[in-house]
């Protein structure tokens, strides 16, 4: 009689148990399996055995994906007898999903990583990625030779390289774009702009002279969480361990001192100027809350990274001819050099094969361009030797070249000049290399202080960057600095200085 | 007397109408934004009555109907199988726990209650589903873990306890087995409660996003919520700095970004809204169950 009751209970005990499964392995600290040696021997002898790999990166899936990935696998099969499952994850969830997979020690082979996506430093330090220091020159020699050893140093964590750098623009130079038509109309000389405040007279004239309906958002305050960091290359500053935690240093001094970027005259004048902008109605009144901005209304906008062909890009963005005003000299810092990388998971059974795929992605132009552009005639058409155009209604959406490998192998398109990659390479080579290049900060010992400071920064930053405090800006600024002090910013600065000194001493 | 009554009534009706309007407003706004021309949103912001009507957002989504339809199909499968399985398991457990002659019901109740408050965390669940059960890229990974829902078990238990024991006893005397008592007497008497559970679970399964994100890699198996995420992801890329996912500079105003997001919301919530309309009468009754003991 009771069997039914008991049966159903047994079933439910099993199911409820799903939610309280073992805690083992969840901290991801356990040692990764060492498979490197086992299959390496087999592969060095003659023909490669067929291998299937999983490659995770972020992006939006499209119906044309399958056809493109099949075409790529045909190439990979021929070249290195390998097939790859290309798996896209929606970009907002990439870090979370991958972190759980890494912590659960799931088997996969390749993944996109950067300081911002699937935190490279954290995962390299805790052993989620395979140490590539020895494997890169052996299995991906051309990829390795493509970059100067100095650039590879940027990817070093505890002295080892844990990911392959996807080459793209490394040099950073910030600047402004100014609407050409308006500048000419009001006889404004773009070359006179040296800092943000220099824009005020021009924007005021535009505000007074143009119809009110078009002048509600003359200055771009859209990137309200970032704007101040745009200007770091100009000041020759460099953030250390992310942009949320205070404590930066000069990129060019021989003995850089770590300081609180918010306690500088530069920052103070920056936010006071923005408050001025807000009071004069040069920034959208509801910049903090508005869901969308109209880029065509901007008379002036800050630019984070100037690159070859930027004039055409901003022209497209703002739908009008622009003057581009560079600030300072281009500079090469480690966060920019390792902004886009491909790592091999320590759970991979075939790390050397994964590296061969990396080598293919970086050196095989046909393969790389299929991945980036899709299939010729279906997704794009060739309009020149090295120039293509996306076709309307293409089933595959063009991917970022820097996601997979050397972007300089990509076809050029649209507004890019034919020699855009030569120009970019030249810019990378000519840039001043930062003293801090290759330094990475380990935040472990000041975790709590860092988190507290980041919370305070995030509380104030957007309002400062849009000038929302207006007349109260100074008072709020003092309050902000005081709160940072209480949160332990000095301890964070001291720790950063300590690690930096140790780095420079080597 | 009569006049005062109608004044009273007018006031009550006015209040209810206002409340009704407040509830409907966000929904109407969502629908109307999805039908607004994106250029109009840029200039005028969100409006209840679009200055310029446009189907562009829906047209954009329908450019690729296959993935949308696959999303509906997967979500339907998850909802139908999941809800049916959940109701069976949940009601059986609840019935066992409602029976006073079941000796271990205290201990079992506590066991279930604990899972309601503490969870093992997402990584153990992930390890269980992916490594032990090998359910990665299978819809079953989204269906089975929610079969035994602790809250619903307790809700049903209270409802079952209100059925007079005499009724069950008489059924027994007439020769019913335990299972027949449960199946032929208890379940038919509990329709409102079961409808409530069904609705709750339907919503739960329909809105399943996070687990789907974790367990499903293959786009053909995406449930509708992931399709929505996929489109949102595309739109975020378009928005960030005026480049399309390919890094090609584009004019953000040519892609109806806002209206697409709202159109997607309409498309994902419509089926559930219809269902709610049909099950609503049970839902209200079901919510009050367990509130009055008598």
């Amino acid at each position: 009689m009771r069997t039914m009751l008991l049966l159903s209970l047994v079933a439910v005990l099993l199911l409820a148990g799903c939610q309280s499964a073992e805690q083992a392995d969840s901290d991801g600290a356990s040692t990764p399996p060492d498979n490197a040696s086992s299959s390496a021997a087999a592969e060095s002898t003659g023909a490669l055995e067929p291998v299937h790999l999983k490659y995770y990166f972020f992006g939006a899936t499209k119906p044309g994906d399958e056809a493109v990935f099949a075409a790529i696998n045909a190439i990979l099969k021929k070249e290195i007898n390998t097939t790859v499952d290309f798996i896209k994850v929606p970009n907002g969830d990439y870090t979370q999903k991958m972190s759980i997979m890494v912590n659960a020690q799931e088997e996969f082979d390749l993944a996109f990583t950067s300081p911002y996506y699937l935190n490279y430093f954290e995962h390299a330090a805790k052993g989620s990625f395979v140490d590539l220091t020895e494997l890169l020159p052996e299995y991906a020699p051309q990829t390795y030779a493509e970059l100067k050893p100095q650039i590879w140093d940027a990817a070093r964590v505890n002295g080892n390289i844990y990911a392959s750098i996807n080459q793209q623009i490394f040099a950073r130079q910030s600047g402004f774009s100014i609407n050409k038509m308006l500048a000419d109309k009001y006889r404004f000389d773009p070359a006179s702009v040296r800092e943000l405040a220099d824009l005020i007279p021009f924007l005021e004239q535009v505000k007074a002279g143009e119809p009110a309906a078009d002048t509600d958002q003359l200055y771009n305050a859209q990137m309200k969480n970032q704007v101040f960091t745009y200007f770091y290359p100009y000041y020759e500053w460099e953030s250390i361990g992310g942009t949320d935690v205070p404590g930066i240093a000069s990129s060019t001094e021989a003995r850089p001192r770590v300081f609180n970027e918010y306690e500088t005259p530069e920052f103070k004048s920056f936010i006071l100027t923005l408050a001025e902008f807000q009071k004069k109605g040069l920034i959208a009144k509801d910049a903090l809350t508005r869901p969308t901005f109209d880029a065509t209304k901007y008379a002036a906008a800050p630019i984070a990274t100037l690159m070859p062909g930027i004039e055409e890009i901003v022209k497209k963005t703002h739908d009008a001819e622009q003057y581009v005003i560079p600030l300072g000299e281009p500079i090469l810092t480690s966060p920019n050099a390792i902004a886009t990388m491909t790592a091999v998971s320590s759970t991979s059974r075939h790390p050397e094969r994964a590296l061969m795929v990396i080598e293919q992605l970086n050196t095989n132009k046909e393969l790389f361009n299929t991945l980036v552009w899709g299939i010729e005639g279906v997704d794009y058409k060739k309009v020149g030797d090295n120039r293509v155009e996306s076709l309307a209604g293409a089933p595959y959406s063009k991917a970022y070249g820097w996601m997979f490998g050397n972007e300089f192998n990509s076809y050029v398109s649209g507004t890019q000049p034919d020699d855009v990659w030569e120009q970019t390479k030249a810019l990378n080579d000519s840039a001043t290399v930062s003293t801090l290049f290759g330094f990475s900060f380990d935040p472990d010992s000041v975790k709590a202080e860092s988190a507290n400071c980041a919370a305070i920064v995030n509380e104030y930053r957007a309002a400062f960057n849009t000038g929302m405090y207006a007349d109260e800006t100074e008072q709020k600024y003092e309050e902000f600095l005081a709160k940072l002090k209480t949160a332990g910013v000095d301890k964070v600065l001291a720790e950063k200085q300590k690690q930096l000194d140790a780095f420079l001493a080597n | 007397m009569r006049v005062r009554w109608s004044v009273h009534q007018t006031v009550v009706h006015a209040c209810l109408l206002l409340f009704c309007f407040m509830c409907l407003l966000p929904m109407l706004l969502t629908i109307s934004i999805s039908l607004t021309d994106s250029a109009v949103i840029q200039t005028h912001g969100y409006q209840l009555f679009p200055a310029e009507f446009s189907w562009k957002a829906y047209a954009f989504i329908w450019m690729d109907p296959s993935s949308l339809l696959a999303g509906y199909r997967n979500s339907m499968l998850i909802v139908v199988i999941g809800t049916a399985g959940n109701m069976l398991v949940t009601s059986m457990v609840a019935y066992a726990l409602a029976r006073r002659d079941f000796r271990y019901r205290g201990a079992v109740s506590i066991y279930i209650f604990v899972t309601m408050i503490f969870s093992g965390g997402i990584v153990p669940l992930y390890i269980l589903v992916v490594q032990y059960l090998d359910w990665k890229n299978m819809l079953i990974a989204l269906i089975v873990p929610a079969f035994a829902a602790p809250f619903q078990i307790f809700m049903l238990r209270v409802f079952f306890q209100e059925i007079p024991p005499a009724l069950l006893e008489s059924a027994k005397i007439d020769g019913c087995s335990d299972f027949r008592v449960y199946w032929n007497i208890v379940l038919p008497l509990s329709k409102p409660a079961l409808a409530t559970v069904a609705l709750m679970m339907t919503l739960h399964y329909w809105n399943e996003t996070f687990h789907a994100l974790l367990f499903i890699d293959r786009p053909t198996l995406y449930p509708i919520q992931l399709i929505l995420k996929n489109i949102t992801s595309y739109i975020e890329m378009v928005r960030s700095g005026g480049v399309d996912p390919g890094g090609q500079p584009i004019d953000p105003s040519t892609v109806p970004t806002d209206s697409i997001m709202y159109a997607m919301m309409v498309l994902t919530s419509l089926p559930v809204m219809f269902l709610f309309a049909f099950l609503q009468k049970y839902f209200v009754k079901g919510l009050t169950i367990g509130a009055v003991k008598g």
Side-chain angles (χ1 to χ4, degrees):
Chain A
M1 280 292 164
R2 297 247 168 86
T3 43
M4 238 31 233
L5 295 179
L6 282 170
L7 268 181
S8 62
L9 272 167
V10 167
V12 98
L13 291 176
L14 285 172
L15 292 168
C18 287
Q19 309 196 347
S20 52
E22 293 167 58
Q23 192 84 35
D25 277 13
S26 65
D27 54 4
S30 50
T31 44
D34 180 31
N35 304 306
S37 49
S38 56
S39 45
E43 288 185 13
S44 56
T45 57
L48 298 167
E49 92 253 27
V51 161
H52 186 74
L53 303 177
K54 278 186 183 169
Y55 182 2
Y56 284 86
F57 52 93
F58 65 82
T61 61
K62 286 277 173 182
D65 287 359
E66 264 171 61
V68 171
F69 296 156
I72 295 163
N73 275 322
I75 303 176
L76 281 173
K77 187 88 195 157
K78 198 179 77 196
E79 298 283 340
I80 51 172
N81 203 12
T82 306
T83 47
V84 176
D85 232 341
F86 293 90
I87 302 159
K88 287 182 179 175
V89 179
N91 56 338
D93 306 297
Y94 182 75
T95 303
Q96 192 177 21
K97 168 159 176 161
M98 295 312 292
S99 301
I100 290 171
M101 280 178 50
V102 165
N103 287 340
Q105 299 268 305
E106 182 169 346
E107 190 189 326
F108 66 97
D109 305 280
L110 291 155
F112 176 79
T113 178
S114 96
Y116 311 101
Y117 284 92
L118 186 59
N119 192 324
Y120 171 67
F121 293 117
E122 180 193 329
H123 288 288
K126 78 178 189 192
S128 318
F129 301 147
V130 173
D131 176 4
L132 302 181
T133 326
E134 306 286 318
L135 296 174
L136 258 176
E138 192 181 344
Y139 292 99
Q142 289 186 54
T143 310
Y144 187 70
E146 185 69 28
L147 295 173
K148 288 183 280 186
Q150 201 182 17
I151 305 273
W152 285 110
D153 285 345
R156 284 185 194 269
V157 174
N158 302 328
N160 300 322
I161 299 168
Y162 288 93
S164 166
I165 296 175
N166 301 338
Q167 189 168 188
Q168 50 147 337
I169 184 160
F170 296 148
R172 280 270 319 259
Q173 183 179 23
S174 46
F176 290 110
S177 67
I178 287 180
N179 186 304
K180 187 167 186 286
M181 194 265 290
L182 290 171
D184 292 347
K185 184 173 171 189
Y186 295 98
R187 308 246 166 88
F188 181 71
D189 174 18
S192 70
V193 179
R194 282 278 142 263
E195 56 173 340
L196 191 59
D198 297 338
L199 292 170
I200 292 183
F202 166 61
L203 293 177
E204 272 189 313
Q205 275 178 317
V206 178
K207 180 98 186 167
E210 299 294 315
D214 297 333
T215 60
D216 61 324
Q217 34 187 319
L218 286 175
Y219 182 73
N220 179 3
Q222 196 170 343
M223 296 294 175
K224 45 200 172 238
N225 286 322
Q226 300 297 342
V227 197
F228 186 58
T229 62
Y230 279 19
F231 298 99
Y232 283 7
Y234 174 48
Y235 302 131
E236 300 186 342
W237 290 350
E238 185 168 338
S239 60
I240 299 173
T243 53
D244 287 351
V245 182
I248 62 169
S250 159
S251 318
T252 46
E253 279 169 31
R255 281 254 160 255
R257 190 179 55 81
V258 176
F259 56 93
N260 180 353
E261 65 265 43
Y262 301 111
E263 222 173 323
T264 55
E266 284 89 349
F267 181 69
K268 194 172 178 188
S269 104
F270 178 77
I271 58 171
L272 287 176
T273 310
L274 284 169
E276 209 57 31
F277 274 44
Q278 183 59 250
K279 280 191 277 182
K280 293 184 196 301
L282 307 176
I283 292 176
K285 287 252 172 291
D286 50 355
L288 277 184
T289 49
R290 42 179 318 125
T292 58
F293 290 80
D294 186 354
T296 60
K297 285 184 175 179
Y298 300 148
I303 306 173
T305 308
L306 301 186
M307 56 185 103
I310 185 79
E311 288 84 0
E312 291 298 320
I313 295 176
V314 290
K315 180 181 159 192
K316 264 266 164 77
T317 313
H318 304 299
D319 206 17
E321 294 275 347
Q322 304 283 317
Y323 284 120
V324 171
I325 308 165
L327 293 171
E329 297 297 321
I331 203 154
L332 192 65
T333 65
S334 29
N336 298 320
I338 57 164
T340 52
M341 295 186 287
T342 310
V344 178
S345 165
S346 52
T347 56
S348 168
R349 282 204 201 143
H350 307 279
E352 55 306 295
R353 196 63 74 85
L355 274 161
M356 290 184 198
V357 172
I358 291 182
E359 177 81 337
Q360 288 292 320
L361 288 168
N362 278 288
T363 54
N364 188 330
K365 246 190 117 163
E366 182 196 355
L367 177 120
F368 181 75
N369 278 306
T370 310
L371 194 49
V372 173
W373 291 97
I375 296 167
E376 186 173 354
V378 180
D379 303 301
Y380 70 90
K381 66 168 194 277
K382 274 204 144 165
V383 291
D385 239 6
N386 199 32
R387 178 170 287 277
V388 295
E389 262 171 33
S390 284
L391 291 172
Y396 184 74
S397 79
K398 195 214 150 202
Y400 295 116
W402 44 253
M403 184 83 79
F404 311 107
N406 186 350
E407 202 181 17
F408 299 165
N409 282 332
S410 172
Y411 296 138
V412 296
S413 172
T415 56
Q416 291 168 323
D418 278 335
D419 59 346
V420 60
W421 303 130
E422 285 79 13
Q423 282 188 44
T424 312
K425 205 166 166 47
L427 182 65
N428 282 349
D429 289 340
S430 72
T432 321
V433 177
S434 154
T435 334
L436 276 66
F437 198 88
F439 170 61
S440 64
F441 175 63
D442 174 11
D444 246 14
S445 55
V446 286
K447 237 179 188 160
E449 289 83 2
S450 298
N452 292 342
C453 289
I456 293 165
V457 168
N458 282 317
E459 181 187 339
Y460 286 89
R461 183 167 51 189
F464 277 143
N465 279 337
T466 47
M468 278 304 160
Y469 292 129
D471 286 329
E472 286 182 347
T473 304
E474 259 199 275
Q475 180 198 335
K476 287 278 179 189
Y477 174 64
E478 297 301 328
E479 184 184 306
F480 170 61
L481 289 185
K483 275 199 191 173
L484 279 180
K485 280 254 186 288
T486 328
V489 67
D490 292 329
K491 207 172 157 196
V492 177
L493 297 181
E495 180 62 29
K496 284 186 174 179
Q497 185 75 59
K498 195 179 105 197
Q499 290 188 23
L500 181 57
D501 287 344
F503 167 78
L504 291 171
N506 287 326
Chain B
M1 197 64 187
R2 192 171 241 213
V3 177
R4 254 181 65 196
W5 182 238
S6 80
V7 165
H8 175 89
Q9 225 168 15
T10 325
V11 171
V12 167
H13 279 194
C15 288
L16 288 176
L17 274 175
L18 187 74
F19 184 69
C20 176
F21 179 72
M22 273 160 54
C23 292
L24 280 177
L25 189 66
M27 222 165 75
L28 289 177
L29 205 55
T30 307
I31 294 173
S32 75
I33 293 169
S34 74
L35 291 171
T36 309
D37 191 87
S38 61
V40 176
I41 299 182
Q42 298 272 6
T43 43
H44 300 287
Y46 298 149
Q47 292 168 310
L48 197 47
F49 301 102
E52 214 165 310
F53 191 78
S54 147
W55 287 101
K56 255 193 237 155
Y58 289 93
F60 184 92
I61 292 168
W62 274 102
M63 267 183 353
D64 170 23
S66 61
S67 63
L68 192 70
L69 292 177
Y72 275 129
R73 188 201 59 212
N74 294 331
S75 278
M76 290 289 182
L77 268 177
I78 295 170
V79 165
V80 171
I81 300 176
T83 309
N86 170 281
M87 300 231 321
L88 194 68
V89 173
T90 302
S91 65
M92 286 202 286
V93 178
Y95 176 59
L97 291 177
R99 286 278 295 264
R100 282 168 217 282
D101 51 346
F102 174 46
R103 194 189 299 165
Y104 304 108
R105 67 198 169 101
V108 174
S109 297
I110 289 171
Y111 174 73
I112 295 173
F113 187 65
V114 166
T115 66
M116 204 166 137
I117 302 197
F118 304 104
S119 107
I122 195 71
V123 173
L125 174 70
Y126 189 86
I127 292 176
L128 176 74
V129 170
V130 173
Q131 280 163 21
Y132 289 88
L133 299 171
D134 205 10
W135 282 351
K136 188 147 191 181
N137 279 322
M138 290 165 87
L139 292 181
I140 193 173
L142 308 179
I143 296 174
V144 172
F147 264 5
F151 177 76
Q152 279 78 353
I153 289 175
F154 289 118
M155 209 183 84
L156 282 182
R157 187 183 70 162
V158 174
F159 196 87
F160 290 162
Q161 276 170 347
E162 281 169 17
I163 298 171
L167 200 61
L168 308 185
E169 257 164 50
S170 71
K172 269 242 171 103
I173 291 164
D174 287 343
C176 270
S177 66
D178 274 328
F179 187 74
R180 280 201 73 176
V181 172
Y182 154 77
W183 191 258
N184 290 20
I185 311 280
V186 174
L187 285 191
L189 283 173
S190 314
K191 272 187 200 148
L194 292 174
T196 309
V197 171
L199 194 62
M200 283 173 163
M201 291 322 295
T202 303
L203 285 177
H204 172 91
Y205 280 117
W206 186 263
N207 290 331
E208 181 63 271
T209 317
F210 185 60
H211 285 177
L213 186 79
L214 286 183
F215 299 135
I216 306 292
D217 280 343
R218 218 169 281 148
T220 46
L221 290 177
Y222 277 5
I224 195 75
Q225 300 291 346
L226 268 200
I227 304 279
L228 173 70
K229 251 192 183 296
N230 195 29
I231 290 188
T232 323
S233 153
Y234 173 75
I235 288 172
E236 269 169 22
M237 283 187 167
V238 170
R239 272 199 185 155
S240 56
V243 287
D244 74 2
Q248 289 287 88
I250 51 155
D251 177 4
S253 59
T254 56
V255 178
T257 53
D258 287 277
S259 22
I260 289 176
M261 271 213 287
Y262 286 90
M264 240 0 251
M265 277 183 228
V266 172
L267 287 176
T268 47
S269 47
L270 265 187
V272 188
M273 276 194 247
F274 273 117
L275 187 80
F276 190 82
F278 286 120
L279 286 181
Q280 198 193 19
K281 58 176 179 179
Y282 293 108
F283 198 46
V284 176
K285 220 191 271 178
L287 272 185
T288 59
I289 59 177
V292 189
K293 276 209 152 197

